Coordinates of all heavy atoms in Angstrom, one line a residue:
V1 N 70.9 137.4 23.6 CA 71.0 136.7 24.9 C 69.8 135.9 25.1 O 68.6 136.4 25.1 CB 71.2 137.7 26.1 CG1 71.4 137.0 27.4 CG2 72.4 138.6 25.8
A2 N 69.9 134.6 25.3 CA 68.8 133.7 25.6 C 69.2 132.8 26.7 O 69.3 131.5 26.5 CB 68.5 132.9 24.3
D3 N 69.4 133.3 27.9 CA 69.9 132.6 29.0 C 68.9 131.8 29.8 O 69.2 131.1 30.8 CB 70.7 133.5 30.0 CG 69.9 134.7 30.5 OD1 69.2 135.2 29.7 OD2 70.1 135.1 31.6
D4 N 67.6 131.9 29.4 CA 66.5 131.2 30.1 C 66.7 129.7 29.9 O 66.6 129.2 28.8 CB 65.2 131.7 29.5 CG 64.0 131.0 30.1 OD1 64.1 130.3 31.1 OD2 62.9 131.1 29.5
V5 N 66.9 128.9 31.0 CA 67.0 127.5 30.9 C 65.7 126.8 31.3 O 65.6 125.5 31.3 CB 68.1 126.9 31.8 CG1 69.4 127.5 31.3 CG2 67.9 127.2 33.3
A6 N 64.6 127.5 31.7 CA 63.4 126.9 32.1 C 62.7 126.3 30.8 O 62.0 125.3 30.9 CB 62.5 127.9 32.8
L7 N 62.8 127.0 29.7 CA 62.1 126.5 28.5 C 63.0 125.6 27.8 O 64.3 125.8 27.7 CB 61.9 127.7 27.5 CG 60.8 128.7 28.0 CD1 60.8 129.9 27.1 CD2 59.4 128.1 28.0
P8 N 62.5 124.5 27.2 CA 63.3 123.5 26.5 C 63.7 124.2 25.1 O 63.1 125.1 24.6 CB 62.4 122.4 26.2 CG 61.0 123.0 26.3 CD 61.1 124.1 27.3
E9 N 64.8 123.7 24.6 CA 65.2 124.2 23.3 C 64.3 123.5 22.2 O 63.9 122.3 22.4 CB 66.7 123.8 23.0 CG 67.6 124.6 23.9 CD 69.1 124.4 23.6 OE1 69.4 123.2 23.4 OE2 69.9 125.3 23.4
G10 N 64.0 124.2 21.1 CA 63.2 123.6 20.1 C 62.3 124.7 19.4 O 62.4 125.9 19.7
D11 N 61.5 124.2 18.5 CA 60.6 125.1 17.7 C 59.2 125.3 18.3 O 58.3 125.8 17.6 CB 60.5 124.6 16.3 CG 61.9 124.7 15.6 OD1 62.7 125.6 15.9 OD2 62.1 123.8 14.8
E12 N 59.0 124.7 19.5 CA 57.6 124.8 20.0 C 57.2 126.1 20.6 O 56.1 126.3 21.0 CB 57.4 123.7 21.1 CG 57.6 122.3 20.6 CD 59.0 121.9 20.4 OE1 59.9 122.5 21.1 OE2 59.3 120.9 19.6
H13 N 58.2 127.0 20.7 CA 57.9 128.4 21.2 C 58.8 129.3 20.5 O 59.6 129.0 19.6 CB 58.2 128.4 22.7 CG 59.5 127.8 23.2 ND1 60.7 128.4 23.0 CD2 59.7 126.6 23.8 CE1 61.6 127.6 23.4 NE2 61.1 126.5 23.9
A14 N 58.8 130.6 20.9 CA 59.5 131.7 20.2 C 61.0 131.7 20.6 O 61.7 132.6 20.1 CB 58.8 133.0 20.5
G15 N 61.4 130.8 21.4 CA 62.8 130.8 21.8 C 63.1 131.1 23.2 O 62.3 131.7 23.9
R16 N 64.2 130.6 23.7 CA 64.6 130.9 25.1 C 64.8 132.4 25.3 O 65.4 133.0 24.5 CB 65.8 130.1 25.5 CG 65.6 128.6 25.7 CD 66.8 127.9 26.1 NE 66.5 126.6 26.7 CZ 67.4 125.7 27.1 NH1 68.7 126.0 27.0 NH2 67.0 124.6 27.7
R17 N 64.3 132.9 26.4 CA 64.2 134.3 26.7 C 65.5 134.9 27.3 O 66.3 134.1 27.9 CB 63.0 134.6 27.6 CG 61.7 134.2 27.0 CD 60.6 134.0 28.1 NE 60.9 132.9 29.0 CZ 59.9 132.4 29.8 NH1 58.7 132.9 29.8 NH2 60.2 131.4 30.6
G18 N 65.7 136.1 27.1 CA 66.8 136.8 27.7 C 66.4 137.3 29.1 O 65.4 138.0 29.3
L19 N 67.2 136.9 30.2 CA 66.8 137.2 31.5 C 68.0 137.9 32.2 O 68.7 138.6 31.6 CB 66.5 135.9 32.3 CG 65.3 135.0 31.7 CD1 65.2 133.7 32.4 CD2 64.0 135.8 31.6
A20 N 68.1 137.8 33.5 CA 69.0 138.6 34.3 C 70.5 138.4 33.9 O 71.3 139.3 34.1 CB 68.8 138.3 35.8
G21 N 70.8 137.3 33.3 CA 72.2 137.0 32.9 C 72.6 138.0 31.9 O 73.8 138.2 31.7
T22 N 71.7 138.7 31.2 CA 72.0 139.7 30.2 C 73.0 140.8 30.8 O 73.8 141.3 30.2 CB 70.7 140.4 29.7 OG1 69.9 139.4 29.2 CG2 71.1 141.4 28.6
V23 N 72.8 141.1 32.1 CA 73.6 142.1 32.8 C 75.1 141.7 32.8 O 75.9 142.6 32.7 CB 73.1 142.3 34.2 CG1 73.9 143.3 35.0 CG2 71.6 142.8 34.2
L24 N 75.4 140.4 32.9 CA 76.8 140.0 32.9 C 77.4 140.2 31.5 O 78.5 140.6 31.3 CB 76.9 138.6 33.3 CG 76.4 138.2 34.8 CD1 76.6 136.7 35.0 CD2 77.2 139.1 35.8
V25 N 76.6 139.9 30.5 CA 77.0 140.2 29.1 C 77.3 141.7 28.9 O 78.3 142.1 28.3 CB 75.9 139.7 28.1 CG1 76.4 140.0 26.7 CG2 75.6 138.2 28.3

């Protein structure tokens, strides 16, 4: 789960994070 939309997609960081939306999954 990588529902974080604050971070841009790309290789500049470790990836979009899993946040509260994980609970819906």
